[in-house]
Amino acid sequence: MKDFKSSLTLQNLVFDQIEFTRKGFKQTSKLSFELEVQIGTGEYDAHRVTLILRGEKPEEYTVVISLSGFFKIEGKDQIDDKAIQSLINKNAVAIMMPYLRSELTLLTAQPNTDSVVLPPFNINKMFDEQH
């Protein structure tokens, strides 16, 4: 049987910022948001991936969630740079999305607020459109 273990391993996951600012009472408008992905190198040769979600429901609230994951790649000496970038860009973001989605739902599950569940994202398409 083949070994299907990924070369990418999540070492640590932390929320850098969680902010919910109430502006007013419940509104019928929808939450508009933008998602930013920052990729860099962290300590101990780990790849740091940060997801930042900034959202606003006009006249009701604003929300900011920043989440960082620290990933290691096993056997990266045997993997070309393009494959490493693909692992980091697409797989790391996909691994982190459920944590971001869950935190947004928790933050918006407040009295006099409609709880928000982020829709599924096509991570591959998101990165393909950026390049």
Side-chain angles (χ1 to χ4, degrees):
M1 188 164 155
K2 290 186 177 184
D3 182 12
F4 293 108
K5 182 180 174 197
S6 175
S7 300
L8 185 69
T9 306
L10 176 62
Q11 299 293 304
N12 286 298
L13 185 74
V14 295
F15 284 95
D16 303 304
Q17 179 182 7
I18 300 172
E19 182 179 310
F20 181 93
T21 305
R22 173 73 65 179
K23 292 179 169 183
F25 296 111
K26 187 173 179 177
Q27 302 291 319
T28 58
S29 59
K30 294 206 180 253
L31 174 69
S32 62
F33 64 90
E34 63 180 38
L35 180 64
E36 179 183 346
V37 178
Q38 298 175 350
I39 299 173
T41 304
E43 295 181 24
Y44 310 111
D45 198 33
H47 295 270
R48 180 180 184 160
V49 178
T50 302
L51 302 181
I52 304 168
L53 181 130
R54 292 180 186 88
E56 179 178 20
K57 195 164 181 188
E59 300 179 28
E60 188 175 341
Y61 63 83
T62 60
V63 63
V64 178
I65 302 170
S66 176
L67 170 67
S68 290
F70 296 84
F71 294 86
K72 290 253 185 184
I73 298 178
E74 293 184 34
K76 70 179 185 179
D77 297 341
Q78 300 152 3
I79 304 171
D80 65 61
D81 289 342
K82 187 175 181 179
I84 288 174
Q85 279 310 115
S86 181
L87 274 172
I88 295 296
N89 290 353
K90 297 175 181 177
N91 293 17
V93 171
I95 289 167
M96 295 171 63
M97 282 304 295
Y99 297 97
L100 181 67
R101 184 175 284 114
S102 175
E103 189 61 34
L104 179 63
T105 300
L106 285 172
L107 276 178
T108 57
Q110 305 297 321
N112 202 27
T113 301
D114 289 328
S115 185
V116 175
V117 177
L118 283 178
F121 293 104
N122 184 333
I123 304 297
N124 291 328
K125 186 175 180 181
M126 184 174 85
F127 275 100
D128 289 346
E129 288 178 0
Q130 287 181 354
H131 296 101

